[in-house]
Amino acid sequence: MDNGVADLERDRSRLGRSSTAERVADILRDRISEGFFEPGQRLSEEAISEALGVSRNTLREAFRLLGHERLLDHRLNRGVFVRILSAEDVADLYRVRRVIEGAAVRRSPTPQALGLIKEAVADAERAAARDDWRAVGTANIRFHQALVTLNRSPRLDEAMRQLLAELRLVFHVMKNPRDFHEPFVERNRRLLELLEGGRVDEAAAFLDGYLDHAERLLVHAYDPDA
Amino acid sequence: MDNGVADLERDRSRLGRSSTAERVADILRDRISEGFFEPGQRLSEEAISEALGVSRNTLREAFRLLGHERLLDHRLNRGVFVRILSAEDVADLYRVRRVIEGAAVRRSPTPQALGLIKEAVADAERAAARDDWRAVGTANIRFHQALVTLNRSPRLDEAMRQLLAELRLVFHVMKNPRDFHEPFVERNRRLLELLEGGRVDEAAAFLDGYLDHAERLLVHAYDPDA
DNA sequence: ACATAGGAATCGTTGAACAATTCGACAAGA
DNA sequence: TCTTGTCGAATTGTTCAACGATTCCTATGT
């Protein structure tokens, strides 16, 4: 039973600041979103607490945290599992994105937020130029995160952060990252231009089409018979 | 040190189903939102675990849950405190409401959702007729919760639930519940009519004014010099 | 093949213990 | 008097060991 769990021991070095439970949660969150733990996989309390060198109680506090973020599925007396998103979950995540990002593009952009967005677009383009599609994906995520800051709401920022973490759970099903990320590099640039030009309605409409497309790609790869 | 903690012991009867930690969280959540615990008050691990008859470890799991819901403020090595919302927090909560509820009213209403909304409006009117302003407040909250269901997104429903729980932390500062709740009974009815009439833009504009007003009332009572 | 009864493994929860940290009190010194 | 430093009590952070409860697997018997 060392489903890559032994490997975790290297992360013990990261333990040393703030609350242990939170640091454990940070580590597990990273591992989950990078696909190190696969959706559906059970996370054994004993194995992980031993691998990270923390007590079961502390680990359980971390599990609660991640469960609340919907990254883990906590089933009573059965343990915690890496969350498996249904097609309906994906649809719901995109519903939320349309609401939050849609509201964002309708606001008058601040120079600061625009700077972040620009940077993300440029990063994505650079990564695409060198065929690093993993980096493109990361930059695209940063793009949307930056987009949401237009709302100037810490809570919406946080909600978006969680939403994207959840979405990463399903990004890994895309066998070919290029197909999934490439089409959006150009679109991000276009959306940025619309924002800079203050063409709010066009930007909103463009974003809707954008999200529709992304959702379709994802749901198709995820659940081919849908 | 029995800041009403002794009273908690009656809630022990509610322990008996599902996970203990979650049930403890339920109890504390209720107590907080009903104002039994005041914002800023420290919740002693020892006192509460003893009062509820659960171990400290279990109680701490419950604390983590509520901390993540922003109802508790967890300060390292100092304990957990009932959250104190700043005026800026209130403003942010209303920003989120404008986004989520604004998106809701722009969607074509389903008969089911409309039914829930109607019910909430009627309840509020009945409660107002008998001068029960506490009940009016509850019905008004239900009204907005129902409004959000128009989005047909479980995650937005959940986000709204949390948001309203957080908002309840500050509702208690309103010394006179009538002043705060009465003006909105009529407005809820009006908003319902606009929705039924399919007058989307008017409904959206009306809602914005609605939320502006509510926020102003709240911030004023909360932070008189703002 | 199928139901069932163990039995092993794991979770849920507790209670005790100890280290780490905070905070107030109090004393020493400027 | 005010500041600073130190001590000690109180509380949190974390671990550990234990045990009942639940789930899952497997072997047994029909």
Side-chain angles (χ1 to χ4, degrees), chain B residues 19-20 54-58 77-78:
Chain B
S19 154
T20 307
V54 301
S55 77
R56 265 181 68 213
N57 283 317
T58 300
N77 284 315
R78 308 215 20 234

CSV table of all heavy atoms in Angstrom, one decimal, chain B residues 19-20 54-58 77-78, chain C residues 12-17 21-23:
chain,number,residue,atom,x,y,z
B,19,SER,N,-21.9,12.3,11.8
B,19,SER,CA,-20.6,12.5,12.4
B,19,SER,C,-20.7,13.5,13.6
B,19,SER,O,-21.4,14.6,13.5
B,19,SER,CB,-19.6,13.0,11.4
B,19,SER,OG,-18.6,13.8,12.0
B,20,THR,N,-20.1,13.2,14.7
B,20,THR,CA,-20.1,14.0,15.9
B,20,THR,C,-19.6,15.5,15.6
B,20,THR,O,-20.3,16.4,15.9
B,20,THR,CB,-19.3,13.4,17.0
B,20,THR,OG1,-19.7,12.1,17.2
B,20,THR,CG2,-19.6,14.2,18.3
B,54,VAL,N,-18.1,16.3,24.3
B,54,VAL,CA,-17.3,15.7,23.3
B,54,VAL,C,-15.8,16.0,23.6
B,54,VAL,O,-15.6,16.9,24.4
B,54,VAL,CB,-17.6,16.3,21.9
B,54,VAL,CG1,-19.1,16.0,21.6
B,54,VAL,CG2,-17.3,17.8,21.8
B,55,SER,N,-15.0,15.3,23.0
B,55,SER,CA,-13.6,15.5,23.3
B,55,SER,C,-13.0,16.8,22.6
B,55,SER,O,-13.7,17.3,21.7
B,55,SER,CB,-12.7,14.3,22.8
B,55,SER,OG,-12.6,14.4,21.4
B,56,ARG,N,-11.9,17.2,23.1
B,56,ARG,CA,-11.4,18.5,22.5
B,56,ARG,C,-11.0,18.2,21.0
B,56,ARG,O,-11.3,19.1,20.2
B,56,ARG,CB,-10.1,18.8,23.2
B,56,ARG,CG,-10.3,19.9,24.3
B,56,ARG,CD,-9.0,20.2,25.0
B,56,ARG,NE,-8.1,20.9,24.1
B,56,ARG,CZ,-6.7,20.8,24.1
B,56,ARG,NH1,-6.2,20.0,24.9
B,56,ARG,NH2,-6.0,21.5,23.3
B,57,ASN,N,-10.5,17.1,20.7
B,57,ASN,CA,-10.2,16.8,19.3
B,57,ASN,C,-11.4,16.9,18.4
B,57,ASN,O,-11.3,17.5,17.3
B,57,ASN,CB,-9.6,15.4,19.2
B,57,ASN,CG,-8.2,15.4,19.7
B,57,ASN,OD1,-7.4,16.2,19.4
B,57,ASN,ND2,-7.8,14.3,20.4
B,58,THR,N,-12.5,16.3,18.8
B,58,THR,CA,-13.7,16.4,18.0
B,58,THR,C,-14.2,17.9,17.9
B,58,THR,O,-14.5,18.3,16.8
B,58,THR,CB,-14.8,15.6,18.6
B,58,THR,OG1,-14.3,14.2,18.7
B,58,THR,CG2,-16.1,15.6,17.8
B,77,ASN,N,-2.6,29.7,18.4
B,77,ASN,CA,-2.3,29.7,19.8
B,77,ASN,C,-3.1,30.6,20.7
B,77,ASN,O,-2.8,30.8,21.8
B,77,ASN,CB,-0.8,30.1,20.0
B,77,ASN,CG,0.1,28.9,19.6
B,77,ASN,OD1,-0.1,27.8,20.0
B,77,ASN,ND2,1.1,29.2,18.8
B,78,ARG,N,-4.1,31.2,20.1
B,78,ARG,CA,-4.9,32.1,20.9
B,78,ARG,C,-6.3,31.7,21.0
B,78,ARG,O,-7.1,32.1,21.9
B,78,ARG,CB,-4.9,33.5,20.3
B,78,ARG,CG,-3.4,34.0,20.1
B,78,ARG,CD,-3.3,35.5,20.3
B,78,ARG,NE,-4.3,36.0,21.1
B,78,ARG,CZ,-5.0,37.1,20.8
B,78,ARG,NH1,-4.8,37.7,19.6
B,78,ARG,NH2,-6.0,37.6,21.6
C,12,DG,P,-14.2,8.5,9.8
C,12,DG,OP1,-15.4,9.0,9.2
C,12,DG,OP2,-12.9,9.3,9.8
C,12,DG,O5',-14.5,8.1,11.3
C,12,DG,C5',-15.8,7.5,11.6
C,12,DG,C4',-16.2,7.7,13.1
C,12,DG,O4',-15.3,6.9,13.9
C,12,DG,C3',-16.0,9.1,13.6
C,12,DG,O3',-17.1,9.4,14.5
C,12,DG,C2',-14.7,9.1,14.3
C,12,DG,C1',-14.6,7.7,14.8
C,12,DG,N9,-13.2,7.1,14.9
C,12,DG,C8,-12.2,7.2,14.0
C,12,DG,N7,-11.1,6.6,14.4
C,12,DG,C5,-11.5,6.0,15.6
C,12,DG,C6,-10.7,5.1,16.4
C,12,DG,O6,-9.5,4.8,16.2
C,12,DG,N1,-11.4,4.7,17.5
C,12,DG,C2,-12.7,5.1,17.8
C,12,DG,N2,-13.2,4.6,18.9
C,12,DG,N3,-13.4,5.9,17.0
C,12,DG,C4,-12.7,6.3,15.9
C,13,DT,P,-17.2,10.8,15.2
C,13,DT,OP1,-18.7,11.0,15.4
C,13,DT,OP2,-16.5,11.8,14.4
C,13,DT,O5',-16.5,10.6,16.6
C,13,DT,C5',-16.9,9.6,17.4
C,13,DT,C4',-16.0,9.5,18.6
C,13,DT,O4',-14.8,8.9,18.2
C,13,DT,C3',-15.6,10.8,19.2
C,13,DT,O3',-16.3,11.0,20.4
C,13,DT,C2',-14.1,10.7,19.5
C,13,DT,C1',-13.8,9.2,19.2
C,13,DT,N1,-12.5,9.0,18.6
C,13,DT,C2,-11.7,8.1,19.2
C,13,DT,O2,-12.0,7.5,20.2
C,13,DT,N3,-10.5,7.8,18.6
C,13,DT,C4,-10.0,8.4,17.4
C,13,DT,O4,-8.9,8.2,17.0
C,13,DT,C5,-10.9,9.4,16.8
C,13,DT,C7,-10.5,10.1,15.6
C,13,DT,C6,-12.1,9.6,17.4
C,14,DT,P,-16.0,12.2,21.4
C,14,DT,OP1,-17.2,12.5,22.2
C,14,DT,OP2,-15.3,13.3,20.7
C,14,DT,O5',-15.0,11.5,22.4
C,14,DT,C5',-15.3,10.2,22.9
C,14,DT,C4',-14.2,9.7,23.7
C,14,DT,O4',-13.1,9.3,22.8
C,14,DT,C3',-13.6,10.7,24.7
C,14,DT,O3',-13.8,10.1,26.0
C,14,DT,C2',-12.2,10.8,24.4
C,14,DT,C1',-11.9,9.6,23.5
C,14,DT,N1,-10.9,9.8,22.5
C,14,DT,C2,-9.7,9.1,22.5
C,14,DT,O2,-9.5,8.2,23.3
C,14,DT,N3,-8.8,9.3,21.5
C,14,DT,C4,-9.0,10.3,20.4
C,14,DT,O4,-8.1,10.4,19.6
C,14,DT,C5,-10.2,11.0,20.5
C,14,DT,C7,-10.5,12.0,19.4
C,14,DT,C6,-11.1,10.8,21.5
C,15,DG,P,-13.9,11.1,27.3
C,15,DG,OP1,-14.8,10.4,28.3
C,15,DG,OP2,-14.1,12.5,26.9
C,15,DG,O5',-12.4,11.0,27.9
C,15,DG,C5',-11.9,9.7,28.2
C,15,DG,C4',-10.4,9.8,28.4
C,15,DG,O4',-9.7,9.9,27.2
C,15,DG,C3',-10.0,11.0,29.3
C,15,DG,O3',-9.3,10.6,30.4
C,15,DG,C2',-9.1,11.8,28.3
C,15,DG,C1',-8.7,10.8,27.3
C,15,DG,N9,-8.4,11.4,26.0
C,15,DG,C8,-9.2,12.3,25.3
C,15,DG,N7,-8.8,12.6,24.1
C,15,DG,C5,-7.6,11.9,24.0
C,15,DG,C6,-6.7,11.8,22.9
C,15,DG,O6,-6.7,12.4,21.8
C,15,DG,N1,-5.7,10.9,23.2
C,15,DG,C2,-5.6,10.2,24.3
C,15,DG,N2,-4.5,9.3,24.4
C,15,DG,N3,-6.4,10.2,25.4
C,15,DG,C4,-7.4,11.1,25.1
C,16,DA,P,-8.7,11.6,31.5
C,16,DA,OP1,-9.0,11.1,32.8
C,16,DA,OP2,-9.1,13.0,31.1
C,16,DA,O5',-7.1,11.4,31.2
C,16,DA,C5',-6.6,10.2,30.8
C,16,DA,C4',-5.2,10.3,30.3
C,16,DA,O4',-5.2,10.8,29.0
C,16,DA,C3',-4.4,11.4,31.1
C,16,DA,O3',-3.1,10.9,31.4
C,16,DA,C2',-4.3,12.6,30.1
C,16,DA,C1',-4.3,11.9,28.8
C,16,DA,N9,-4.8,12.7,27.7
C,16,DA,C8,-5.9,13.5,27.7
C,16,DA,N7,-6.1,14.1,26.5
C,16,DA,C5,-5.0,13.7,25.7
C,16,DA,C6,-4.6,14.0,24.4
C,16,DA,N6,-5.3,14.8,23.6
C,16,DA,N1,-3.5,13.4,23.9
C,16,DA,C2,-2.8,12.5,24.8
C,16,DA,N3,-3.1,12.2,26.0
C,16,DA,C4,-4.2,12.8,26.4
C,17,DA,P,-2.2,11.5,32.5
C,17,DA,OP1,-1.6,10.5,33.3
C,17,DA,OP2,-2.9,12.7,33.1
C,17,DA,O5',-0.9,12.1,31.6
C,17,DA,C5',-0.3,11.2,30.7
C,17,DA,C4',0.4,12.1,29.6
C,17,DA,O4',-0.6,12.7,28.8
C,17,DA,C3',1.2,13.2,30.2
C,17,DA,O3',2.6,12.9,30.0
C,17,DA,C2',0.8,14.4,29.3
C,17,DA,C1',0.0,13.8,28.2
C,17,DA,N9,-1.1,14.7,27.7
C,17,DA,C8,-2.2,15.1,28.4
C,17,DA,N7,-3.0,15.9,27.7
C,17,DA,C5,-2.4,15.9,26.5
C,17,DA,C6,-2.8,16.6,25.3
C,17,DA,N6,-3.9,17.3,25.1
C,17,DA,N1,-2.0,16.4,24.2
C,17,DA,C2,-0.8,15.7,24.4
C,17,DA,N3,-0.4,15.0,25.4
C,17,DA,C4,-1.2,15.2,26.5
C,21,DT,P,6.5,28.2,19.8
C,21,DT,OP1,6.5,28.4,18.4
C,21,DT,OP2,7.7,28.4,20.7
C,21,DT,O5',5.3,29.0,20.4
C,21,DT,C5',4.0,28.7,20.0
C,21,DT,C4',3.0,29.5,20.8
C,21,DT,O4',2.8,29.0,22.1
C,21,DT,C3',3.4,31.0,21.0
C,21,DT,O3',2.4,31.8,20.4
C,21,DT,C2',3.5,31.2,22.5
C,21,DT,C1',2.6,30.0,23.1
C,21,DT,N1,3.0,29.5,24.4
C,21,DT,C2,2.1,29.4,25.4
C,21,DT,O2,0.9,29.8,25.2
C,21,DT,N3,2.5,28.9,26.6
C,21,DT,C4,3.8,28.5,26.9
C,21,DT,O4,4.1,28.0,28.0
C,21,DT,C5,4.7,28.6,25.8
C,21,DT,C7,6.2,28.1,26.0
C,21,DT,C6,4.3,29.1,24.6
C,22,DT,P,2.5,33.4,20.4
C,22,DT,OP1,2.0,33.9,19.1
C,22,DT,OP2,3.9,33.8,20.8
C,22,DT,O5',1.5,33.8,21.5
C,22,DT,C5',0.2,33.3,21.5
C,22,DT,C4',-0.5,33.6,22.8
C,22,DT,O4',0.0,32.9,23.9
C,22,DT,C3',-0.5,35.1,23.2
C,22,DT,O3',-1.8,35.6,23.4
C,22,DT,C2',0.4,35.1,24.4
C,22,DT,C1',0.1,33.8,25.0
C,22,DT,N1,1.2,33.2,25.9
C,22,DT,C2,0.9,32.8,27.1
C,22,DT,O2,-0.3,32.8,27.6
C,22,DT,N3,1.9,32.3,27.9
C,22,DT,C4,3.3,32.2,27.5
C,22,DT,O4,4.1,31.7,28.2
C,22,DT,C5,3.5,32.7,26.1
C,22,DT,C7,4.9,32.6,25.6
C,22,DT,C6,2.5,33.2,25.4
C,23,DC,P,-2.1,37.1,23.4
C,23,DC,OP1,-3.4,37.4,22.8
C,23,DC,OP2,-0.9,37.9,23.0
C,23,DC,O5',-2.2,37.3,25.0
C,23,DC,C5',-2.9,36.4,25.8
C,23,DC,C4',-2.8,36.7,27.3
C,23,DC,O4',-1.7,36.0,27.8
C,23,DC,C3',-2.6,38.2,27.6
C,23,DC,O3',-3.4,38.6,28.6
C,23,DC,C2',-1.1,38.3,27.9
C,23,DC,C1',-0.9,36.9,28.5
C,23,DC,N1,0.5,36.5,28.5
C,23,DC,C2,1.0,35.7,29.5
C,23,DC,O2,0.3,35.4,30.4
C,23,DC,N3,2.3,35.3,29.5
C,23,DC,C4,3.1,35.6,28.5
C,23,DC,N4,4.4,35.2,28.5
C,23,DC,C5,2.6,36.4,27.4
C,23,DC,C6,1.3,36.8,27.5
